[in-house]
Amino acid sequence: GAVVSQHPSRVICKSGTSVKIECRSLDFQATTMFWYRQFPKQSLMLMATSNEGSKATYEQGVEKDKFLINHASLTLSTLTVTSAHPEDSSFYICSAQKLADNEQFFGPGTRLTVL
Amino acid sequence: DAKTTQPPSMDCAEGRAANLPCNHSTISGNEYVYWYRQIHSQGPQYIIHGLKNNETNEMASLIITEDRKSSTLILPHATLRDTAVYYCIVRERSNDYKLSFGAGTTVTVRA
């Protein structure tokens, strides 16, 4: 159990377009999901905390109007990178916190390349 | 602020035990020690966690010192597939508590 999926696994888009990434907890309910970003040879940096049915909480320096987060159900959170630019190219990873025991499990990540 | 200190890298031989140290001298009484690992281009994978007692599961053992200021993750028989970045994190087991990732230890298992 405790499987988290992300879709798509990789995406290449043109500068100025928007990209939506889905994060799903497949076999458990998650009231809280987290979104991370990881640049090459660096560690994971938390971007935002997403709670089901409420607005996301963003970390300092992360633009909420650029990285739109929706957490409409106990098993799905989405991250939309709006008007993407080459500097947004990164590895985006979500984690889901199990309602039952507060343990966190990570998705496989989404590789975003903006041309 | 990762609150933990780990060596940046270590090598170990395939089939031997790998002992990964972590210092967390400012850990508070209600914080657990968690270990995750990240294989290249994948999401982090949970390994083990503990509060003050030593823990063992099918992947690893976790040894926590009596004063809880440091711990060691033990991979009993390292394989090439254990090559990854290993992260030691302290975390409260409460709602919405974030995981703060430091630089971790890059472990390379060599044949």
Side-chain angles (χ1 to χ4, degrees):
Chain A
V3 179
V4 178
S5 71
Q6 282 184 242
H7 178 79
S9 58
R10 59 177 62 234
V11 56
I12 300 173
C13 69
K14 293 181 179 180
S15 187
T17 60
S18 294
V19 175
K20 180 185 283 189
I21 303 169
E22 292 186 351
C23 177
R24 292 181 185 272
S25 56
L26 297 185
D27 52 2
F28 64 96
Q29 292 183 327
T31 52
T32 304
M33 291 185 174
F34 301 86
W35 287 95
Y36 297 81
R37 181 167 52 180
Q38 186 175 33
F39 292 108
K41 299 190 184 301
Q42 294 186 23
S43 189
L44 283 78
M45 294 296 294
L46 180 66
M47 299 175 66
T49 302
S50 166
N51 288 298
E52 186 263 338
S54 63
K55 291 184 178 180
T57 302
Y58 291 81
E59 295 299 300
Q60 192 172 7
V62 178
E63 299 175 57
K64 62 180 175 62
D65 294 330
K66 181 168 182 64
F67 299 99
L68 302 179
I69 292 173
N70 183 273
H71 191 159
S73 78
L74 289 175
T75 60
L76 173 64
S77 177
T78 61
L79 168 69
T80 301
V81 183
T82 62
S83 186
H85 291 285
E87 57 265 31
D88 298 323
S89 297
S90 189
F91 192 48
Y92 291 86
I93 307 168
C94 72
S95 73
Q97 185 164 291
K98 286 178 71 174
L99 179 62
D101 58 11
N102 289 328
E103 300 302 343
Q104 284 189 38
F105 298 89
F106 286 81
T110 296
R111 176 79 56 192
L112 171 63
T113 303
V114 185
L115 302 177
Chain B
D1 180 10
K3 298 184 68 173
T4 62
T5 304
Q6 298 177 252
S9 64
M10 63 185 299
D11 286 3
C12 71
E14 187 178 22
R16 304 293 293 271
N19 296 320
L20 283 62
C22 179
N23 287 322
H24 30 79
S25 58
T26 61
I27 192 170
S28 61
N30 59 347
E31 287 182 317
Y32 287 70
V33 179
Y34 278 76
W35 285 83
Y36 286 82
R37 73 179 182 183
Q38 186 179 25
I39 295 170
H40 182 64
S41 294
Q42 297 182 24
Q45 176 189 22
Y46 166 81
I47 301 174
I48 199 167
H49 74 276
L51 183 62
K52 54 183 178 181
N53 296 325
N54 297 337
E55 302 288 344
T56 295
N57 62 20
E58 64 278 5
M59 290 182 68
S61 295
L62 174 60
I63 309 298
I64 302 174
T65 58
E66 192 168 341
D67 63 7
R68 303 208 324 123
K69 293 186 177 182
S70 66
S71 60
T72 301
L73 179 75
I74 301 173
L75 307 178
H77 304 286
T79 71
L80 298 179
R81 287 180 294 181
D82 291 323
T83 293
V85 179
Y86 286 75
Y87 297 99
C88 169
I89 301 169
V90 295
R91 174 197 177 220
E92 290 184 24
R93 291 184 74 192
S94 61
N95 289 337
D96 295 0
Y97 202 80
K98 314 165 206 179
L99 291 171
S100 180
F101 286 80
T105 296
T106 299
V107 174
T108 304
V109 181
R110 302 192 186 278

